[in-house]
Amino acid sequence: MSDPGSSIRLDKWLWQARFCKSRTIAAALIADGAIRVNSARVTKPATTIKAGDGLSFFHGGRVRVIRVLALGERRGPAPEARLLYFELEDTAATRDA
């Protein structure tokens, strides 16, 4: 899906991974300081991320902690978008409880 060592804008990745319906919504979320990349709060939508980075944010009524697995080439269907990240176990267990 992506070259090792390459990067992508955070707002674009959130849109491709289907966490946000549009890049504008993703950019607003980031500008509000609601996203953390590797435990550091970011406020610029142009912040770059790469495979292996950790993201944490409030989404769908709960805190999501995910690991970026791939950057993606396009905004594809939901099953394809789920391959871009891995949700850490503790947040998945909290969600299911």
Side-chain angles (χ1 to χ4, degrees), residues 31-49:
D32 289 342
I35 307 279
R36 291 182 182 268
V37 177
N38 298 327
S39 300
R41 179 183 256 177
V42 295
T43 57
K44 297 187 181 203
T47 300
T48 58
I49 61 169

Side-chain angles (χ1 to χ4, degrees), residues 52-69:
D53 284 347
L55 303 177
S56 59
F57 53 95
F58 189 75
H59 180 262
R62 64 184 188 271
V63 174
R64 306 283 298 263
V65 180
I66 61 170
R67 177 79 53 204
V68 176
L69 296 178

Side-chain angles (χ1 to χ4, degrees), residues 3-92:
D3 299 328
S6 62
S7 61
I8 190 171
R9 287 175 56 115
L10 178 57
D11 62 336
K12 186 173 182 180
W13 188 88
L14 288 170
W15 172 71
Q16 286 179 346
R18 295 187 164 264
F19 286 108
C20 297
K21 288 186 178 186
S22 71
R23 283 184 66 181
T24 305
I25 294 170
L29 191 67
I30 297 163
D32 289 342
I35 307 279
R36 291 182 182 268
V37 177
N38 298 327
S39 300
R41 179 183 256 177
V42 295
T43 57
K44 297 187 181 203
T47 300
T48 58
I49 61 169
K50 58 187 181 318
D53 284 347
L55 303 177
S56 59
F57 53 95
F58 189 75
H59 180 262
R62 64 184 188 271
V63 174
R64 306 283 298 263
V65 180
I66 61 170
R67 177 79 53 204
V68 176
L69 296 178
L71 302 181
E73 299 292 325
R74 65 187 183 113
R75 185 174 201 250
E80 184 179 310
R82 277 188 231 108
L83 298 175
L84 299 179
Y85 64 91
F86 172 75
E87 188 162 0
L88 299 177
E89 293 298 322
D90 54 350
T91 58

